[in-house]
Amino acid sequence: MTLPPELWSEPILAKHLVFMGLTVGFLSFAIPLAIKYAWMDRVCMAGIWFMAINPVKMTLFSYTLYRGDIRGLEFGVTDWLVITMIVAMHKAPRWRKRKLYTRNPNEVLLVLYLGYSIFTIGTALIPQFAVFGVSKLIRAYATFWVAYNFIRSEDDLRFVIWTVVGMTFYSFTQVLMDKYTRGVFPPRGSFDHQNGLATFQNILNFIIFAVLMQDSEKLFDKRTLIYWAALGAGVLTSVATLSRGGMATTVMGFTMIVAMSFFLKQKSVKIKKKFSVIGLLILLSIPVLAVILPPIIQRFETAPEESGESRKGANVASGHMGHDYFFGVGLNNYSYAINYMPYGEDLAPLDRGIAHHIFWLHYAELGIIGVLLYTLLTAGFMLIALLFILKRRDCLERVLAIGILTAFVINWLVGTLEWNFRTLQITLTYFMLAGFVTSLDRVERERLKLEQDKKNRLAMLYLTMTQRQGAARPAKRPATGPQRR
């Protein structure tokens, strides 16, 4: 099938060659550092997440005017850091003492989803566009593997939490800059649209709220005060986007976290703390709502009806594509089909971008098999988190699992209104969290085993010392008295 003339790819330019040179220079410098120094592990992990939402990248063979979720072969700083971590994990002396895990509880569905996506390159309307989509998926899988192998201890878990806190403050700073410096409102930070920022920030908010509810027994201490500040900044960031879905899902997510945190077996002091947190949140929300409620109500009342109609029209078009093509029109091919085939005849030109429904989008691009695999894959990660939480033991691993499970459930709901899952920032964030939550059960087993081994060693040491002390005591002499003749 011939491409429209305005979609011919951009040739390789001098900027691409410069970026390739920077790539070689960075890797030649960062990889030796990562092999030698342990602190580079955390620098890379924080950098992967931070650069995922602030993508610095080049795009080879770019179709500049294409309106799909990816326009070419992308490669950026995030990939530099992922490659650095992969090499360090295989070559660094400290990592040779640790087992690297290639298998995981959701591996079958991960392989099937990627394998089927690769297969549909051959059935896609425009195979090049499908290759672009698969390349992004491979990058996300590499991020998943790194995240799956990264967490080894409670210190690593806390590092993940502090990274979430740091990114929340960063997003809040971006919102303030959008409003007061850049003149952008609603703010969108480093995302193309404010709905993307709302979706991403809610993911972070759920993790922070879960930690605030369950991590500490005290309502206020040094660590908890930072959680309170981060939660406030995160909620204000989500609300500032004026995303109706973001506002609704924030309340739903917080409600889920409250229910799951009470479900865990815990001391009564933690239960009392939770009631205090809930009461304090209600009190704090009253003055905030007094300020932000009017624009929120106005946003709901003035939302154009055409927006909902265009979404429905795009979903109907997606259904026709999936019906006409059993394997779908091809990954990342929806925008081509809706613009250059009869499917978009009833849609306005501005609505012919990409379907705002992740399930219908999968049906259009990958057919019934693709949407089933996507549903099972994402449900698999949720099931892994849920089964882990159902053990009910109160520990930091389970706290993180509660926040991530909530983010995954809300991701499903948001997927019926948005295609955010396919944006690079959300895709990488999702698979990084999937790697974390998939590793938690293994991490807990290893931690409990180390704790038991430590107890056994202490018991053996105590027994040995007791035996030595007993052996060192002089034997009691028999009582001597006057001898009888």
Side-chain angles (χ1 to χ4, degrees):
M1 187 175 294
T2 305
L3 288 174
E6 65 270 25
L7 290 183
W8 289 115
S9 63
E10 179 183 88
I12 294 179
L13 304 174
K15 62 180 181 181
H16 299 130
L17 299 177
V18 171
F19 197 88
M20 291 177 187
L22 291 174
T23 300
V24 174
F26 177 87
L27 293 178
S28 62
F29 173 76
I31 289 176
L33 276 181
I35 292 175
K36 187 174 182 180
Y37 298 107
W39 52 264
M40 275 294 289
D41 293 344
R42 295 188 173 184
V43 169
C44 289
M45 288 304 300
I48 289 169
W49 215 342
F50 180 79
M51 295 310 301
I53 63 169
N54 296 273
V56 176
K57 63 184 189 301
M58 69 171 179
T59 306
L60 293 173
F61 312 113
S62 174
Y63 290 80
T64 308
L65 300 179
Y66 187 57
R67 298 180 65 190
D69 58 89
I70 183 169
R71 301 177 181 182
L73 291 177
E74 295 181 349
F75 187 80
V77 176
T78 301
D79 306 288
W80 295 358
L81 297 168
V82 170
I83 292 172
T84 301
M85 277 298 294
I86 291 174
V87 175
M89 285 178 169
H90 284 89
K91 298 296 183 181
R94 64 185 179 277
W95 279 99
R96 290 175 186 170
K97 302 175 183 178
R98 309 168 187 171
K99 180 180 178 182
L100 291 179
Y101 297 90
T102 55
R103 309 197 63 178
N104 66 83
N106 210 24
E107 63 182 356
V108 173
L109 289 169
L110 280 166
V111 171
L112 288 176
Y113 184 68
L114 176 60
Y116 180 73
S117 299
I118 294 173
F119 164 76
T120 58
I121 292 175
T123 63
L125 297 177
I126 307 296
Q128 299 99 302
F129 293 164
V131 170
F132 300 157
V134 168
S135 70
K136 181 172 67 175
L137 193 56
I138 291 173
R139 295 164 67 200
Y141 272 45
T143 304
F144 168 86
W145 186 88
V146 169
Y148 179 59
N149 280 280
F150 172 72
I151 294 180
R152 300 284 168 157
S153 65
E154 183 175 321
D155 287 342
D156 295 332
L157 291 174
R158 293 211 175 275
F159 173 76
V160 170
I161 293 169
W162 289 125
T163 302
V164 169
V165 169
M167 287 195 299
T168 296
F169 286 128
Y170 171 79
S171 292
F172 183 62
T173 302
Q174 291 294 304
V175 166
L176 295 178
M177 292 180 66
D178 276 352
K179 170 113 178 123
Y180 297 107
T181 303
R182 302 169 185 146
V184 177
F185 193 81
R188 58 177 181 263
S190 56
F191 290 78
D192 294 331
H193 194 276
Q194 63 265 26
N195 288 347
L197 174 59
T199 300
F200 174 78
Q201 188 55 56
N202 272 348
I203 291 174
L204 305 187
N205 291 345
F206 297 147
I207 295 174
I208 294 171
F209 186 58
V211 174
L212 175 64
M213 288 288 286
Q214 194 66 32
D215 183 29
S216 172
E217 296 179 358
K218 296 181 179 180
L219 183 61
F220 297 110
D221 55 27
K222 291 182 180 179
R223 193 163 60 200
T224 308
L225 284 173
I226 298 175
Y227 296 156
W228 276 109
L231 183 65
V235 171
L236 288 175
T237 297
S238 297
V239 171
T241 63
L242 300 182
S243 168
R244 291 169 294 168
M247 297 173 198
T249 53
T250 296
V251 177
M252 296 171 64
F254 282 12
T255 303
M256 283 182 58
I257 291 169
V258 169
M260 286 188 287
S261 66
F262 276 108
F263 176 74
L264 298 181
K265 296 177 181 178
Q266 56 206 292
K267 300 177 182 178
S268 59
V269 65
K270 274 196 173 183
I271 296 176
K272 293 178 182 178
K273 175 212 170 178
K274 288 183 177 62
F275 283 114
S276 299
V277 169
I278 295 169
L280 188 56
L281 282 175
I282 294 173
L283 289 175
L284 291 174
S285 65
I286 293 174
V288 174
L289 285 174
V291 176
I292 65 175
L293 197 57
I296 291 175
I297 294 174
Q298 183 182 13
R299 171 66 174 163
F300 276 87
E301 291 177 344
T302 60
E305 295 182 2
E306 294 81 2
S307 176
E309 293 301 321
S310 67
R311 292 171 187 264
K312 293 179 182 177
N315 295 342
V316 170
S318 299
H320 291 316
M321 294 180 199
H323 178 269
D324 294 343
Y325 295 88
F326 180 77
F327 296 113
V329 296
L331 193 63
N332 192 37
N333 273 252
Y334 173 89
S335 294
Y336 174 80
I338 204 71
N339 281 286
Y340 299 101
M341 298 178 74
Y343 297 109
E345 290 178 344
D346 298 329
L347 295 176
L350 290 177
D351 298 328
R352 298 179 189 174
I354 193 166
H356 284 65
H357 195 299
I358 194 64
F359 297 97
W360 279 115
L361 180 60
H362 270 83
Y363 182 60
E365 294 191 339
L366 299 176
I368 187 64
I369 298 176
V371 73
L372 284 175
L373 286 176
Y374 169 76
T375 303
L376 291 173
L377 174 67
T378 51
F381 287 125
M382 288 189 285
L383 181 61
I384 290 168
L386 178 61
L387 292 176
F388 183 61
I389 294 168
L390 289 178
K391 295 179 182 179
R392 301 186 64 188
R393 288 194 292 268
D394 183 16
C395 63
L396 190 60
E397 291 99 339
R398 209 149 276 105
V399 173
L400 187 60
I402 288 174
I404 295 176
L405 174 60
T406 303
F408 285 175
V409 172
I410 297 302
N411 177 75
W412 256 23
L413 297 177
V414 172
T416 62
L417 299 172
E418 297 290 347
W419 58 280
N420 286 335
F421 178 83
R422 293 278 286 275
T423 62
L424 178 65
Q425 296 99 318
I426 303 298
T427 301
L428 294 180
T429 297
Y430 182 92
F431 279 98
M432 178 171 280
L433 292 177
F436 290 149
V437 79
T438 307
S439 71
L440 292 179
D441 187 49
R442 165 178 56 80
V443 171
E444 184 182 52
R445 289 197 309 270
E446 292 179 355
R447 177 176 61 81
L448 293 176
K449 183 177 180 298
L450 288 175
E451 291 176 358
Q452 187 61 47
D453 291 344
K454 184 178 180 180
K455 290 179 181 178
N456 292 339
R457 286 196 300 270
L458 290 175
M460 288 296 296
L461 180 61
Y462 175 78
L463 181 61
T464 302
M465 291 178 64
T466 303
Q467 290 175 344
R468 287 178 179 176
Q469 288 176 356
R473 288 176 187 160
K476 290 185 178 180
R477 295 179 180 177
T480 59
Q483 297 180 356
R484 296 180 180 177
R485 292 182 178 177

